Amino acid sequence: MIRISVMYAKGGKFDLDYYVKTHMALVHKLLDSYGLMKSEVDKGTGDSPYVAIGHLIFKEAEQMQKGLQAHDPKLAADLVNFSDIKPQFQVSEIIA
């Protein structure tokens, strides 16, 4: 399985409610058919360097790549609706 973590560093505008309720719904609408199995959202607390981190778990890397190629422009265009922070991305293979 593959996990994409999308990290938003503290220091800018971030609407967590929109991100959780609206953006993640859009993510599922566009990517479920490409093997998106699950999503999670972490809210940074205390001294965490991130205000939020979104996690997307896919069955396979190939499906994930196809889904992102097809829909990344739509997902990126929604960013202005909840944040002015440039996200950082980590793609990982889940091994345990």
Side-chain angles (χ1 to χ4, degrees):
M1 289 191 295
I2 301 296
R3 176 187 296 122
I4 300 175
S5 298
V6 185
M7 299 165 282
Y8 298 90
K10 288 183 177 176
K13 171 192 109 169
F14 195 86
D15 183 340
L16 188 61
D17 189 58
Y18 182 96
Y19 185 69
V20 169
K21 293 179 182 173
T22 305
H23 184 73
M24 294 308 277
L26 176 64
V27 167
H28 277 278
K29 177 181 175 183
L30 297 176
L31 298 178
D32 279 358
S33 65
Y34 292 92
L36 177 61
M37 298 169 39
K38 178 181 178 181
S39 66
E40 296 177 340
V41 176
D42 299 340
K43 177 182 175 184
T45 60
D47 291 336
S48 171
Y50 301 104
V51 66
I53 302 174
H55 303 282
L56 307 177
I57 298 174
F58 287 86
K59 292 178 185 176
E60 300 175 357
E62 285 183 41
Q63 289 180 301
M64 173 203 70
Q65 291 169 343
K66 288 179 184 177
L68 293 177
Q69 287 174 348
H71 297 294
D72 187 55
K74 292 176 191 171
L75 295 171
D78 192 43
L79 177 68
V80 298
N81 293 318
F82 63 90
S83 185
D84 59 3
I85 303 166
K86 182 179 179 183
Q88 300 172 16
F89 297 89
Q90 171 72 34
V91 179
S92 306
E93 180 181 0
I94 300 170
I95 59 170

Coordinates of all heavy atoms in Angstrom, one line a residue:
M1 N 0.8 -1.2 0.0 CA 0.0 0.0 0.0 C 0.9 1.2 0.0 O 2.0 1.2 0.4 CB -0.9 0.0 1.2 CG -2.0 -1.0 1.1 SD -3.3 -0.8 2.4 CE -2.4 -1.1 3.9
I2 N 0.3 2.3 -0.5 CA 1.0 3.6 -0.6 C 0.3 4.7 0.2 O -0.9 4.8 0.1 CB 1.1 4.0 -2.1 CG1 1.8 3.0 -2.9 CG2 1.8 5.4 -2.2 CD1 3.3 2.7 -2.6
R3 N 1.1 5.5 0.9 CA 0.6 6.6 1.7 C 1.2 7.9 1.1 O 2.4 8.0 1.0 CB 0.9 6.5 3.1 CG 0.4 7.7 3.9 CD 0.8 7.8 5.4 NE 0.2 6.7 6.1 CZ 0.9 5.7 6.7 NH1 2.2 5.8 6.8 NH2 0.3 4.8 7.4
I4 N 0.3 8.9 0.8 CA 0.7 10.2 0.5 C 0.4 11.1 1.7 O -0.8 11.1 2.2 CB 0.0 10.8 -0.7 CG1 0.2 10.0 -1.9 CG2 0.4 12.3 -0.9 CD1 -0.6 10.4 -3.1
S5 N 1.4 11.7 2.3 CA 1.2 12.7 3.4 C 1.3 14.1 2.8 O 2.3 14.4 2.2 CB 2.2 12.4 4.5 OG 2.0 11.1 5.0
V6 N 0.3 14.9 3.1 CA 0.4 16.3 2.6 C 0.4 17.2 3.8 O -0.5 17.2 4.6 CB -0.9 16.6 1.7 CG1 -0.8 18.0 1.2 CG2 -1.1 15.6 0.7
M7 N 1.6 17.9 4.0 CA 1.9 18.6 5.2 C 1.8 20.1 5.0 O 2.4 20.6 4.1 CB 3.2 18.2 5.7 CG 3.3 16.7 6.0 SD 4.9 16.0 6.2 CE 5.5 15.9 4.5
Y8 N 1.1 20.8 5.9 CA 0.9 22.2 5.9 C 1.6 22.8 7.1 O 1.2 22.7 8.2 CB -0.6 22.6 5.9 CG -1.3 22.0 4.7 CD1 -1.9 20.8 4.7 CD2 -1.4 22.8 3.5 CE1 -2.5 20.2 3.6 CE2 -2.0 22.3 2.4 CZ -2.6 21.0 2.4 OH -3.2 20.5 1.3
A9 N 2.7 23.5 6.9 CA 3.5 24.1 8.0 C 2.8 25.3 8.6 O 2.0 26.0 7.9 CB 4.9 24.6 7.4
K10 N 3.0 25.5 9.9 CA 2.4 26.6 10.6 C 2.9 27.9 10.0 O 4.0 27.9 9.5 CB 2.7 26.5 12.1 CG 2.0 25.4 12.8 CD 2.2 25.5 14.3 CE 1.4 24.4 15.0 NZ 1.8 24.4 16.4
G11 N 2.1 28.9 10.1 CA 2.5 30.2 9.7 C 1.7 30.9 8.6 O 2.1 31.9 8.0
G12 N 0.6 30.3 8.2 CA -0.2 30.9 7.2 C -1.7 30.6 7.5 O -2.1 30.1 8.6
K13 N -2.5 31.0 6.5 CA -4.0 30.7 6.7 C -4.3 29.3 6.4 O -3.7 28.7 5.5 CB -4.7 31.6 5.6 CG -6.2 31.3 5.4 CD -6.7 31.9 4.2 CE -7.0 30.8 3.2 NZ -7.8 31.2 2.0
F14 N -5.1 28.7 7.3 CA -5.5 27.3 7.1 C -6.9 27.1 7.7 O -7.1 27.3 8.9 CB -4.6 26.3 7.7 CG -4.8 24.9 7.2 CD1 -4.2 24.5 6.0 CD2 -5.6 24.0 7.9 CE1 -4.4 23.2 5.5 CE2 -5.9 22.8 7.4 CZ -5.3 22.3 6.2
D15 N -7.9 26.8 6.9 CA -9.3 26.5 7.3 C -9.5 25.0 7.5 O -9.8 24.3 6.5 CB -10.3 27.1 6.3 CG -11.7 27.0 6.7 OD1 -12.0 26.1 7.6 OD2 -12.5 27.7 6.1
L16 N -9.2 24.5 8.7 CA -9.3 23.1 9.0 C -10.7 22.5 8.7 O -10.8 21.4 8.2 CB -8.9 22.8 10.4 CG -8.7 21.4 10.8 CD1 -7.6 20.7 10.0 CD2 -8.4 21.2 12.3
D17 N -11.7 23.3 9.0 CA -13.1 22.8 8.8 C -13.4 22.6 7.3 O -13.9 21.5 6.9 CB -14.1 23.8 9.4 CG -15.5 23.3 9.4 OD1 -15.8 22.2 10.0 OD2 -16.4 23.9 8.7
Y18 N -13.0 23.5 6.5 CA -13.1 23.3 5.0 C -12.3 22.1 4.5 O -12.8 21.3 3.7 CB -12.7 24.6 4.3 CG -12.9 24.5 2.8 CD1 -14.1 25.0 2.2 CD2 -12.0 23.9 2.0 CE1 -14.3 24.9 0.8 CE2 -12.1 23.8 0.6 CZ -13.3 24.3 0.0 OH -13.5 24.2 -1.3
Y19 N -11.1 22.1 5.0 CA -10.2 21.0 4.6 C -10.8 19.6 4.9 O -10.8 18.7 4.0 CB -8.8 21.1 5.3 CG -7.8 20.1 4.8 CD1 -7.2 20.2 3.6 CD2 -7.3 19.2 5.7 CE1 -6.3 19.3 3.2 CE2 -6.4 18.3 5.3 CZ -5.8 18.3 4.0 OH -4.9 17.4 3.6
V20 N -11.3 19.4 6.1 CA -11.8 18.2 6.5 C -13.2 17.9 5.8 O -13.3 16.8 5.3 CB -12.0 18.1 8.1 CG1 -12.8 16.9 8.5 CG2 -10.7 18.2 8.8
K21 N -14.1 18.8 5.8 CA -15.4 18.5 5.3 C -15.6 18.6 3.8 O -16.3 17.9 3.1 CB -16.4 19.5 5.9 CG -16.6 19.2 7.4 CD -17.5 20.2 8.1 CE -17.6 19.9 9.6 NZ -18.5 20.9 10.2
T22 N -14.9 19.6 3.2 CA -15.1 19.9 1.7 C -14.0 19.3 0.9 O -14.2 18.6 -0.1 CB -15.3 21.4 1.5 OG1 -16.3 21.9 2.4 CG2 -15.6 21.7 0.1
H23 N -12.7 19.7 1.2 CA -11.6 19.3 0.4 C -11.4 17.8 0.4 O -11.3 17.1 -0.7 CB -10.3 20.0 0.8 CG -9.2 19.6 -0.1 ND1 -9.1 20.1 -1.4 CD2 -8.1 18.8 0.1 CE1 -8.0 19.6 -2.0 NE2 -7.4 18.8 -1.1
M24 N -11.5 17.1 1.5 CA -11.3 15.7 1.6 C -12.5 15.0 0.9 O -12.3 13.9 0.3 CB -11.2 15.2 3.0 CG -9.8 15.7 3.7 SD -8.4 15.4 2.7 CE -8.0 13.7 3.2
A25 N -13.7 15.5 0.9 CA -14.8 14.9 0.2 C -14.5 15.0 -1.3 O -14.8 14.0 -2.1 CB -16.1 15.7 0.5
L26 N -13.9 16.1 -1.8 CA -13.5 16.2 -3.2 C -12.4 15.2 -3.5 O -12.5 14.5 -4.6 CB -13.0 17.6 -3.5 CG -12.5 17.9 -4.9 CD1 -13.5 17.7 -6.0 CD2 -11.8 19.3 -5.0
V27 N -11.5 15.0 -2.6 CA -10.4 14.0 -2.8 C -11.0 12.7 -3.1 O -10.6 11.9 -4.0 CB -9.4 14.0 -1.6 CG1 -8.5 12.8 -1.7 CG2 -8.6 15.3 -1.6
H28 N -11.9 12.3 -2.2 CA -12.6 11.0 -2.3 C -13.4 10.8 -3.6 O -13.4 9.8 -4.3 CB -13.4 10.6 -1.1 CG -12.6 10.1 0.0 ND1 -12.2 8.7 0.1 CD2 -12.0 10.7 1.1 CE1 -11.4 8.6 1.1 NE2 -11.3 9.7 1.8
K29 N -14.1 11.9 -3.9 CA -14.9 11.9 -5.1 C -14.1 11.6 -6.4 O -14.4 10.9 -7.3 CB -15.7 13.2 -5.3 CG -16.5 13.3 -6.5 CD -17.2 14.7 -6.6 CE -17.9 14.8 -8.0 NZ -18.5 16.1 -8.1
L30 N -12.9 12.2 -6.4 CA -12.0 12.1 -7.6 C -11.1 10.9 -7.6 O -10.8 10.4 -8.6 CB -11.2 13.4 -7.7 CG -11.9 14.7 -7.9 CD1 -11.0 15.9 -7.9 CD2 -12.7 14.7 -9.2
L31 N -10.7 10.4 -6.4 CA -9.7 9.4 -6.3 C -10.1 8.0 -5.9 O -9.3 7.1 -6.0 CB -8.5 9.9 -5.5 CG -7.8 11.2 -6.0 CD1 -6.7 11.6 -5.0 CD2 -7.3 11.0 -7.4
D32 N -11.3 7.9 -5.3 CA -11.8 6.6 -4.9 C -11.7 5.5 -6.0 O -11.3 4.4 -5.8 CB -13.2 6.6 -4.3 CG -13.2 7.1 -2.9 OD1 -12.1 7.4 -2.3 OD2 -14.3 7.2 -2.3
S33 N -12.0 5.9 -7.2 CA -12.0 5.0 -8.3 C -10.6 4.6 -8.8 O -10.4 3.7 -9.6 CB -12.8 5.5 -9.5 OG -12.2 6.7 -10.0
Y34 N -9.6 5.3 -8.2 CA -8.2 5.0 -8.5 C -7.5 4.3 -7.3 O -6.3 4.3 -7.2 CB -7.5 6.3 -8.8 CG -7.9 6.9 -10.1 CD1 -8.9 7.9 -10.1 CD2 -7.3 6.6 -11.3 CE1 -9.3 8.5 -11.3 CE2 -7.7 7.2 -12.5 CZ -8.7 8.1 -12.5 OH -9.1 8.7 -13.7
G35 N -8.3 3.7 -6.5 CA -7.7 2.9 -5.4 C -7.5 3.6 -4.1 O -6.9 3.0 -3.2
L36 N -8.1 4.8 -3.9 CA -8.0 5.5 -2.6 C -8.8 4.7 -1.7 O -10.0 4.5 -1.8 CB -8.4 6.9 -2.7 CG -8.4 7.7 -1.4 CD1 -7.0 7.8 -0.8 CD2 -9.0 9.1 -1.6
M37 N -8.2 4.2 -0.6 CA -8.9 3.3 0.3 C -9.3 4.1 1.6 O -10.4 3.8 2.2 CB -8.0 2.2 0.8 CG -7.6 1.3 -0.4 SD -6.3 0.1 0.1 CE -6.7 -0.4 1.7
K38 N -8.5 5.1 2.0 CA -8.8 5.7 3.3 C -8.1 7.0 3.3 O -7.0 7.2 2.6 CB -8.2 4.8 4.4 CG -8.3 5.3 5.8 CD -7.7 4.3 6.7 CE -7.8 4.9 8.1 NZ -7.2 4.0 9.1
S39 N -8.6 8.0 4.1 CA -7.9 9.2 4.3 C -8.0 9.5 5.8 O -8.9 9.1 6.5 CB -8.6 10.4 3.5 OG -9.9 10.6 3.9
E40 N -7.0 10.3 6.3 CA -7.0 10.8 7.6 C -6.5 12.2 7.6 O -5.7 12.6 6.8 CB -6.0 9.9 8.5 CG -6.5 8.5 8.6 CD -5.4 7.6 9.4 OE1 -4.3 8.1 9.6 OE2 -5.8 6.6 9.9
V41 N -6.9 12.9 8.6 CA -6.4 14.3 8.8 C -5.9 14.4 10.3 O -6.6 14.1 11.2 CB -7.5 15.4 8.5 CG1 -6.9 16.8 8.8 CG2 -7.9 15.3 7.1
D42 N -4.6 14.9 10.4 CA -4.1 15.2 11.7 C -4.0 16.7 11.9 O -3.7 17.4 11.0 CB -2.6 14.7 11.8 CG -2.4 13.2 11.6 OD1 -3.4 12.5 11.7 OD2 -1.3 12.8 11.2
K43 N -4.4 17.1 13.1 CA -4.4 18.5 13.5 C -3.1 18.7 14.4 O -3.0 18.0 15.4 CB -5.6 18.9 14.2 CG -5.6 20.4 14.7 CD -6.9 20.7 15.5 CE -6.8 22.0 16.1 NZ -8.0 22.3 17.0
G44 N -2.2 19.6 14.0 CA -1.0 19.8 14.8 C -1.4 20.5 16.1 O -2.3 21.3 16.2
T45 N -0.7 20.0 17.2 CA -0.9 20.6 18.5 C 0.4 21.0 19.1 O 1.5 20.5 18.7 CB -1.6 19.6 19.4 OG1 -0.8 18.4 19.5 CG2 -3.0 19.2 18.9
G46 N 0.4 21.9 20.1 CA 1.6 22.2 20.8 C 2.7 22.8 19.9 O 2.4 23.7 19.1
D47 N 3.9 22.2 20.0 CA 5.0 22.6 19.2 C 5.2 22.0 17.9 O 6.2 22.1 17.2 CB 6.3 22.4 20.0 CG 6.4 23.3 21.3 OD1 5.8 24.3 21.3 OD2 7.1 22.9 22.2
S48 N 4.1 21.3 17.4 CA 4.2 20.7 16.1 C 4.5 21.7 15.0 O 4.0 22.8 15.0 CB 2.9 20.0 15.8 OG 2.8 19.6 14.4
P49 N 5.4 21.4 14.1 CA 5.7 22.3 13.0 C 4.6 22.4 11.9 O 4.6 23.3 11.1 CB 6.9 21.8 12.4 CG 6.9 20.3 12.7 CD 6.2 20.1 14.0
Y50 N 3.6 21.6 12.0 CA 2.5 21.6 11.0 C 1.2 21.9 11.6 O 0.8 21.4 12.7 CB 2.4 20.2 10.3 CG 3.7 19.8 9.6 CD1 4.5 18.9 10.2 CD2 4.1 20.5 8.4 CE1 5.7 18.6 9.6 CE2 5.3 20.1 7.8 CZ 6.1 19.2 8.4 OH 7.3 18.9 7.8
V51 N 0.4 22.7 10.9 CA -1.0 23.0 11.4 C -1.9 21.8 11.1 O -2.8 21.5 11.8 CB -1.5 24.3 10.7 CG1 -1.7 24.2 9.2 CG2 -2.8 24.7 11.4
A52 N -1.6 21.1 10.0 CA -2.4 19.9 9.6 C -1.6 19.0 8.7 O -0.7 19.5 7.9 CB -3.7 20.3 9.0
I53 N -1.9 17.7 8.7 CA -1.3 16.8 7.7 C -2.5 15.9 7.3 O -3.2 15.3 8.1 CB -0.2 15.9 8.4 CG1 0.9 16.8 9.0 CG2 0.3 14.9 7.3 CD1 1.9 16.0 9.7
G54 N -2.6 15.8 6.0 CA -3.6 14.9 5.4 C -2.9 13.7 4.9 O -1.8 13.7 4.3
H55 N -3.5 12.5 5.1 CA -2.9 11.2 4.6 C -3.9 10.5 3.7 O -5.1 10.4 4.0 CB -2.6 10.3 5.8 CG -1.8 10.9 6.9 ND1 -0.4 11.0 6.7 CD2 -2.0 11.5 8.1 CE1 0.1 11.6 7.8 NE2 -0.8 11.9 8.6
L56 N -3.4 10.1 2.6 CA -4.2 9.3 1.6 C -3.6 8.0 1.5 O -2.4 7.9 1.2 CB -4.3 10.0 0.3 CG -4.7 11.5 0.3 CD1 -4.6 12.1 -1.1 CD2 -6.1 11.6 0.9
I57 N -4.3 6.9 1.6 CA -3.8 5.6 1.5 C -4.4 4.9 0.3 O -5.7 4.8 0.1 CB -4.1 4.7 2.8 CG1 -3.4 5.4 3.9 CG2 -3.6 3.3 2.6 CD1 -3.7 4.8 5.3
F58 N -3.5 4.4 -0.6 CA -3.9 3.8 -1.9 C -3.5 2.4 -1.9 O -2.5 2.0 -1.3 CB -3.2 4.5 -3.1 CG -3.8 5.9 -3.4 CD1 -3.3 7.0 -2.7 CD2 -4.7 6.1 -4.4 CE1 -3.8 8.3 -3.0 CE2 -5.2 7.3 -4.7 CZ -4.7 8.4 -4.0
K59 N -4.2 1.6 -2.7 CA -3.9 0.2 -2.8 C -2.6 0.0 -3.5 O -1.7 -0.8 -3.1 CB -5.0 -0.6 -3.6 CG -6.3 -0.7 -2.9 CD -7.3 -1.4 -3.8 CE -8.7 -1.4 -3.1 NZ -9.7 -1.9 -4.0
E60 N -2.4 0.7 -4.6 CA -1.2 0.5 -5.5 C -0.6 1.9 -6.0 O -1.4 2.8 -6.2 CB -1.5 -0.3 -6.7 CG -2.0 -1.7 -6.4 CD -2.5 -2.5 -7.6 OE1 -2.4 -1.9 -8.8 OE2 -2.9 -3.6 -7.5
A61 N 0.7 1.9 -6.2 CA 1.3 3.1 -6.7 C 0.8 3.5 -8.1 O 0.6 4.7 -8.4 CB 2.8 2.9 -6.7
E62 N 0.6 2.5 -8.9 CA 0.2 2.8 -10.3 C -1.2 3.5 -10.3 O -1.4 4.4 -11.1 CB 0.2 1.5 -11.2 CG 1.5 1.0 -11.6 CD 1.4 -0.2 -12.4 OE1 0.6 -0.3 -13.3 OE2 2.2 -1.2 -12.2
Q63 N -2.1 3.0 -9.6 CA -3.4 3.6 -9.5 C -3.3 5.0 -9.0 O -4.0 5.9 -9.5 CB -4.4 2.7 -8.6 CG -4.8 1.4 -9.2 CD -5.7 0.7 -8.3 OE1 -5.3 0.4 -7.1 NE2 -6.9 0.4 -8.7
M64 N -2.5 5.2 -7.9 CA -2.4 6.5 -7.3 C -1.8 7.5 -8.4 O -2.4 8.6 -8.5 CB -1.4 6.4 -6.1 CG -1.0 7.8 -5.6 SD 0.6 7.7 -4.7 CE 1.7 7.5 -6.0
Q65 N -0.8 7.1 -9.1 CA -0.2 7.9 -10.1 C -1.2 8.3 -11.2 O -1.3 9.5 -11.6 CB 1.0 7.3 -10.7 CG 2.2 7.2 -9.8 CD 3.3 6.3 -10.3 OE1 3.1 5.5 -11.2 NE2 4.5 6.5 -9.6
K66 N -2.0 7.3 -11.6 CA -3.0 7.6 -12.7 C -4.1 8.6 -12.1 O -4.5 9.5 -12.8 CB -3.7 6.3 -13.1 CG -2.8 5.5 -14.0 CD -3.6 4.2 -14.4 CE -2.6 3.3 -15.2 NZ -3.3 2.0 -15.5
G67 N -4.5 8.4 -10.9 CA -5.5 9.3 -10.3 C -5.0 10.7 -10.1 O -5.7 11.7 -10.5
L68 N -3.8 10.8 -9.7 CA -3.2 12.2 -9.5 C -2.9 12.9 -10.8 O -3.1 14.1 -11.0 CB -1.9 12.1 -8.7 CG -2.1 11.7 -7.2 CD1 -0.8 11.6 -6.5 CD2 -3.0 12.7 -6.5
Q69 N -2.5 12.1 -11.8 CA -2.3 12.7 -13.2 C -3.6 13.2 -13.7 O -3.7 14.3 -14.3 CB -1.7 11.7 -14.1 CG -0.2 11.4 -13.9 CD 0.3 10.3 -14.8 OE1 -0.5 9.5 -15.4 NE2 1.6 10.1 -14.8
A70 N -4.7 12.5 -13.5 CA -6.0 12.9 -14.0 C -6.6 14.0 -13.2 O -7.3 14.9 -13.8 CB -7.0 11.7 -14.0
H71 N -6.4 14.1 -11.9 CA -7.1 15.1 -11.1 C -6.3 16.1 -10.3 O -6.9 16.9 -9.6 CB -8.0 14.3 -10.2 CG -9.1 13.5 -10.9 ND1 -10.1 14.1 -11.7 CD2 -9.2 12.1 -11.0 CE1 -10.8 13.1 -12.2 NE2 -10.3 11.9 -11.8
D72 N -5.0 16.0 -10.4 CA -4.2 17.0 -9.6 C -4.6 18.4 -9.8 O -4.6 19.2 -8.9 CB -2.7 16.7 -9.8 CG -1.9 17.6 -8.8 OD1 -2.1 17.5 -7.6 OD2 -1.0 18.4 -9.3
P73 N -4.8 18.8 -11.1 CA -5.2 20.3 -11.3 C -6.4 20.7 -10.5 O -6.5 21.8 -10.0 CB -5.4 20.3 -12.8 CG -4.5 19.3 -13.4 CD -4.6 18.1 -12.4
K74 N -7.4 19.8 -10.5 CA -8.7 20.1 -9.7 C -8.4 20.2 -8.2 O -8.9 21.1 -7.6 CB -9.7 19.1 -10.0 CG -10.2 19.1 -11.4 CD -11.2 17.9 -11.6 CE -11.5 17.8 -13.1 NZ -12.3 16.5 -13.3
L75 N -7.6 19.3 -7.7 CA -7.3 19.3 -6.3 C -6.4 20.5 -5.9 O -6.7 21.2 -4.9 CB -6.6 18.0 -5.9 CG -7.4 16.8 -6.1 CD1 -6.6 15.5 -5.9 CD2 -8.6 16.8 -5.1
A76 N -5.4 20.8 -6.8 CA -4.6 22.0 -6.5 C -5.4 23.3 -6.6 O -5.1 24.2 -5.8 CB -3.4 22.0 -7.5
A77 N -6.3 23.4 -7.5 CA -7.1 24.6 -7.6 C -8.0 24.9 -6.4 O -8.3 26.0 -6.1 CB -8.0 24.5 -8.9
D78 N -8.3 23.8 -5.6 CA -9.1 24.0 -4.4 C -8.3 24.5 -3.3 O -8.9 25.0 -2.3 CB -9.8 22.7 -4.1 CG -10.9 22.8 -3.0 OD1 -11.7 23.8 -3.1 OD2 -10.9 22.0 -2.1
L79 N -7.0 24.5 -3.3 CA -6.1 24.9 -2.3 C -6.4 26.3 -1.8 O -6.5 26.6 -0.6 CB -4.6 24.8 -2.7 CG -3.6 25.3 -1.7 CD1 -3.6 24.4 -0.5 CD2 -2.2 25.4 -2.3
V80 N -6.7 27.2 -2.7 CA -6.9 28.6 -2.4 C -8.2 28.8 -1.5 O -8.3 29.8 -0.8 CB -7.1 29.6 -3.6 CG1 -5.8 29.6 -4.4 CG2 -8.2 29.1 -4.5
N81 N -9.1 27.8 -1.5 CA -10.3 27.9 -0.7 C -10.0 27.6 0.8 O -10.9 27.8 1.6 CB -11.3 26.9 -1.2 CG -11.8 27.3 -2.6 OD1 -12.1 28.5 -2.8 ND2 -11.9 26.4 -3.5
F82 N -8.9 27.0 1.1 CA -8.6 26.7 2.5 C -7.2 27.1 3.1 O -7.0 27.1 4.3 CB -8.9 25.2 2.9 CG -8.0 24.2 2.1 CD1 -6.8 23.8 2.7 CD2 -8.4 23.7 0.9 CE1 -6.0 22.9 2.0 CE2 -7.5 22.8 0.2 CZ -6.3 22.4 0.8
S83 N -6.3 27.4 2.2 CA -5.0 27.7 2.7 C -4.1 28.6 1.7 O -4.3 28.5 0.5 CB -4.2 26.4 3.0 OG -3.0 26.7 3.6
D84 N -3.2 29.3 2.3 CA -2.2 30.0 1.5 C -0.8 29.4 1.8 O 0.2 30.0 1.4 CB -2.2 31.5 1.8 CG -1.9 31.9 3.3 OD1 -1.7 31.0 4.1 OD2 -2.0 33.1 3.6
I85 N -0.8 28.3 2.4 CA 0.5 27.6 2.7 C 0.8 26.6 1.6 O -0.1 25.8 1.2 CB 0.3 26.8 4.0 CG1 -0.1 27.7 5.2 CG2 1.6 26.0 4.3 CD1 -0.6 26.9 6.4
K86 N 2.0 26.6 1.1 CA 2.5 25.7 0.1 C 2.7 24.3 0.8 O 3.5 24.2 1.7 CB 3.7 26.1 -0.6 CG 4.2 25.2 -1.7 CD 5.5 25.7 -2.3 CE 5.9 24.7 -3.4 NZ 7.1 25.1 -4.0
P87 N 1.9 23.3 0.4 CA 2.1 22.0 1.0 C 3.4 21.3 0.7 O 3.9 21.5 -0.4 CB 0.8 21.2 0.5 CG 0.5 21.8 -0.8 CD 0.9 23.3 -0.6
Q88 N 3.8 20.5 1.6 CA 4.9 19.6 1.4 C 4.4 18.2 1.3 O 3.4 17.8 1.9 CB 5.9 19.6 2.5 CG 6.5 21.0 2.8 CD 7.3 21.1 4.1 OE1 7.7 20.1 4.6 NE2 7.5 22.3 4.5
F89 N 5.0 17.4 0.4 CA 4.5 16.0 0.1 C 5.5 15.0 0.4 O 6.7 15.1 0.2 CB 4.1 15.9 -1.4 CG 3.0 16.8 -1.8 CD1 3.3 18.1 -2.3 CD2 1.7 16.4 -1.8 CE1 2.3 18.9 -2.7 CE2 0.7 17.3 -2.2 CZ 1.0 18.5 -2.6
Q90 N 5.0 13.8 1.0 CA 5.8 12.7 1.2 C 5.0 11.5 0.7 O 3.8 11.3 1.1 CB 6.0 12.5 2.7 CG 6.7 11.2 3.1 CD 8.2 11.1 2.7 OE1 8.9 12.1 2.7 NE2 8.6 9.9 2.3
V91 N 5.6 10.7 -0.2 CA 5.0 9.5 -0.7 C 5.8 8.3 -0.1 O 7.0 8.3 -0.2 CB 5.0 9.4 -2.2 CG1 4.4 8.1 -2.7 CG2 4.3 10.6 -2.8
S92 N 5.1 7.4 0.6 CA 5.7 6.3 1.3 C 5.0 5.0 1.0 O 3.8 4.9 0.7 CB 5.6 6.5 2.8 OG 6.1 7.8 3.2
E93 N 5.8 3.9 1.0 CA 5.3 2.6 0.9 C 5.1 2.1 2.4 O 6.0 2.2 3.2 CB 6.3 1.6 0.3 CG 5.8 0.2 0.2 CD 6.8 -0.7 -0.5 OE1 7.9 -0.3 -0.9 OE2 6.4 -1.9 -0.6
I94 N 3.9 1.6 2.7 CA 3.5 1.2 4.0 C 4.1 -0.3 4.1 O 3.7 -1.1 3.4 CB 2.0 1.2 4.3 CG1 1.5 2.6 4.1 CG2 1.7 0.6 5.6 CD1 0.0 2.7 4.1
I95 N 5.0 -0.4 5.1 CA 5.7 -1.8 5.2 C 5.3 -2.5 6.5 O 5.6 -3.7 6.6 CB 7.2 -1.6 5.1 CG1 7.8 -0.7 6.1 CG2 7.6 -1.1 3.7 CD1 9.3 -0.7 6.2
A96 N 4.7 -1.8 7.4 CA 4.3 -2.5 8.6 C 3.1 -1.8 9.2 O 2.8 -0.7 9.0 CB 5.4 -2.5 9.7

